[in-house]
Amino acid sequence: MSTTLTDRTVSTWNDRVTIRVRVGGDGPPLVYLHPSGGLAWDPFLDRLAEHYTIYAPEFPGTTPGDPYAIHQIDDLWDTVLIYEQTLRGLGLSAVPVVGQSFGGMLGAELAAAYPDLVSRLVLLDPIGLWRDDAPVANWIAAPPTELPGLLFADPTGDAAQAMFAMPEDPDALASAQAAMVWNLGATGKLCWPIPDRGLGKRLHRITAPTLVVWGEQDALISPAYAEEFRNRIADSRVEIIPKSGHIPQVEQTETTYTAVSAFLG
């Protein structure tokens, strides 16, 4: 069943950035931080929304109608402060945080900077670290035809086809493609050309119990990074999702949901 969503807005950054937060579900609060392509409410979030009220802030610049908000942000630290302001503006503290890829990096940064904000942390194939022997693929510069292979273990499967399905109407198609390019550019401001802004030096500050989830066949970021996160976060463990690429919650929704919900308790 699709979740009914409402919107809340939080004025941050000395009233220069307004964050739209999509809210849905029923139960205690949970924060979801979206990947670099922007927020897409998927069946995994629908499942979580059966037990939690999900708060999903949109990264500045990715909210429809407010693309130039990204110009107010200069670096990663600006973003961490804006997200901290957003959560406190919503009255949220000591809440579980789930972040996917780019959102996983933000979740880890937030938990490292403000341990009191995060009760439990779930990182779904997060970016943020770099190993020369296992370079992260450059998803921003990749041709559109290569993205399904970077993101999915089975790029011809139903999950990949659904994610990359585009509107048939020419105007809607142009708008969707423009939004995707803009969103990747906005989030890329924090991770171009290499998504390493020193997170590895800060992960030891995370005190929240942490679950690191990784797709076994992730072609964008090697599963070798799962152990890198586990080794740096004291109270953490790793869950590898078989038959999955970079987006396990979409490609193997039930397996990922089972692992995440068991961890969240």
Side-chain angles (χ1 to χ4, degrees):
M1 184 176 69
S2 296
T3 305
T4 299
L5 301 179
T6 59
D7 291 342
R8 292 185 62 177
T9 57
V10 180
S11 180
T12 67
W13 217 227
N14 202 23
D15 293 330
R16 287 180 287 136
V17 176
T18 298
I19 298 293
R20 184 174 81 162
V21 183
R22 309 227 73 190
V23 182
D26 186 28
L30 179 150
V31 173
Y32 175 74
L33 304 178
H34 65 74
S36 58
L39 176 62
W41 199 276
D42 55 37
F44 173 74
L45 294 179
D46 283 332
R47 292 298 307 277
L48 285 176
E50 295 173 2
H51 305 283
Y52 295 92
T53 299
I54 298 176
Y55 293 81
E58 294 172 326
F59 181 76
T62 68
T63 298
D66 190 20
Y68 302 122
I70 185 60
H71 295 325
Q72 299 296 328
I73 295 177
D74 292 327
D75 54 33
L76 179 60
W77 183 233
D78 286 357
T79 305
V80 172
L81 291 173
I82 286 172
Y83 273 64
E84 184 262 349
Q85 282 186 293
T86 300
L87 265 56
R88 296 198 194 282
L90 292 166
L92 300 177
S93 182
V95 293
V97 173
V98 178
Q100 209 280 320
S101 191
F102 175 81
M105 177 185 71
L106 295 184
E109 291 283 8
L110 198 62
Y114 300 99
D116 64 302
L117 281 179
V118 182
S119 62
R120 285 183 173 265
L121 180 64
V122 177
L123 305 176
L124 303 170
D125 298 64
I127 64 170
L129 301 180
W130 182 269
R131 280 178 33 174
D132 287 340
D133 65 333
V136 178
N138 190 338
W139 70 93
I140 298 174
T145 54
E146 293 183 6
L147 285 177
L150 283 178
L151 298 178
F152 289 90
D154 180 5
T156 64
D158 292 342
Q161 296 299 310
M163 171 166 280
F164 289 99
M166 284 290 174
E168 294 183 1
D169 177 77
D171 292 338
L173 174 61
S175 296
Q177 291 175 328
M180 177 58 71
V181 171
W182 186 269
N183 289 352
L184 290 176
T187 53
K189 191 171 183 177
L190 302 189
C191 46
W192 174 271
I194 295 177
D196 183 348
R197 295 294 179 269
L199 174 61
K201 296 183 294 184
R202 299 183 283 274
L203 286 175
H204 72 279
R205 288 176 46 85
I206 296 176
T207 57
T210 300
L211 176 66
V212 181
V213 179
W214 224 284
E216 185 178 38
Q217 296 168 255
D218 190 340
L220 195 148
I221 312 177
S222 167
Y225 283 93
E227 289 301 318
E228 297 291 337
F229 277 89
R230 188 187 67 79
N231 290 337
R232 289 173 168 81
I233 302 173
D235 188 1
S236 66
R237 65 179 177 86
V238 170
E239 190 84 33
I240 300 295
I241 306 298
K243 299 179 181 179
S244 176
H246 185 63
I247 320 176
Q249 80 277 17
V250 170
E251 192 162 18
Q252 297 296 336
T253 301
E254 284 305 310
T255 304
T256 305
Y257 172 75
T258 298
V260 171
S261 61
F263 171 74
L264 293 175

